[in-house]
Amino acid sequence: MRVKGDIAAGLVRNLLEEKGTPHAHALQQAEVLVEAELRGHPSHGLQRLPRILTRIDKGLIDPRTRGKSHWRTPSFLDVDGLRGLGPVVALQACAILAERASSTGVAVAGIRNSNHLGMLAYYVERLANEGIIGIALSSSEALVHPYGGTTALLGTNPLAIAVPTSDRPLVVDLATSVVSMGKIHHHAANGSAIPEGWARDSDGGVTTNAANAMKGSIAPFGDAKGYALGMALELLVASIAGSSLAPEVRGTLDADAVCNKGDVLIAVDVGRQPQVLACFSSYLDRIRQSRPADPMRPVTVPGDGARSRRERALNDGFEISGNLWDELKALSRSNEALVKGIAQ
């Protein structure tokens, strides 16, 4: 099923507003979910919507709040998300950080008691578009096994960085696991196998069955390197945000528990120096224009692929699975006009 981004966003907004979500908050949550789809990351897109709606019904998400924050020091913002929608709480924190970083140079937010942020690239790119270096860290349930181990004890602990240039910012967004659990859920929903090496099953054996992988553990990327980075981010997020460690974290992949993972946002304002930003752009272009190993595959820099996919999807729409389409239709009976309009 091919879907246009504006139609999908309208459907998401309507469903959220039916649950008592203020219009502005519904806009923000919808944009984050649809942006993930447009950029080719369905694991962080519409497949999360049914769970979000269920969590609102159960009181695990309060869609009305932006969270509560105070400056613990001149450059450290302590944020209690008050169970708010992740994007709403994070975007409020981003706005506060950007303003403070203009005077302090660096501003950091530790966020707890919020919900899943979605794609971290979205937040750091917004900061970079304002001429500010953006860094985002997040934690999750225990989904990743240690290097040399078989039991899930670490989060996927993603990291995103965006650096402004005179053109498009450099945007890096990666999990410290070889893949996100959301992507494994996406394979399971579509009944497709996962590559060997992604995950182990509940007995510790290597598996290509996505459903079995959901009950087991994911491998760290780059073996010992991803494991080390993931462990460092695990402790870093917990210490800054005051959140739980992975074995005790719940609430990003279920509809039954309060979300107790943590998020960290960092804004660095080094001054909008046109010559420096132009130098960065030239450097990235030099990399793009370098000799490729495969003449049919030009060299790219992080963020290029997502931008290309987004441009195509804005014109042509994006694919969602038939199973997800059926689920959204079932949730959307009071939005009959949108449901009919979503198919192209």
Side-chain angles (χ1 to χ4, degrees), residues 280-291 299 301:
F280 289 173
S281 290
S282 296
Y283 171 63
L284 297 183
D285 285 340
R286 182 178 179 182
I287 292 175
R288 292 184 181 101
Q289 293 160 11
S290 63
R291 184 173 59 197
V299 176
V301 301

Side-chain angles (χ1 to χ4, degrees), residues 115-177:
N115 281 274
H116 193 264
L117 266 60
M119 181 178 56
L120 294 186
Y122 178 83
Y123 306 97
V124 295
E125 189 167 0
R126 283 177 68 103
L127 289 170
N129 287 334
E130 296 181 34
I132 297 170
I133 296 170
I135 303 172
L137 320 171
S138 192
S139 58
S140 77
E141 293 91 337
L143 300 170
V144 180
H145 60 73
Y147 174 59
T150 60
T151 303
L153 289 170
L154 289 85
T156 53
N157 301 345
L159 162 69
I161 301 171
V163 180
T165 74
S166 61
D167 186 22
R168 298 166 295 179
L170 172 72
V171 181
V172 177
D173 186 355
L174 55 88
T176 53
S177 53

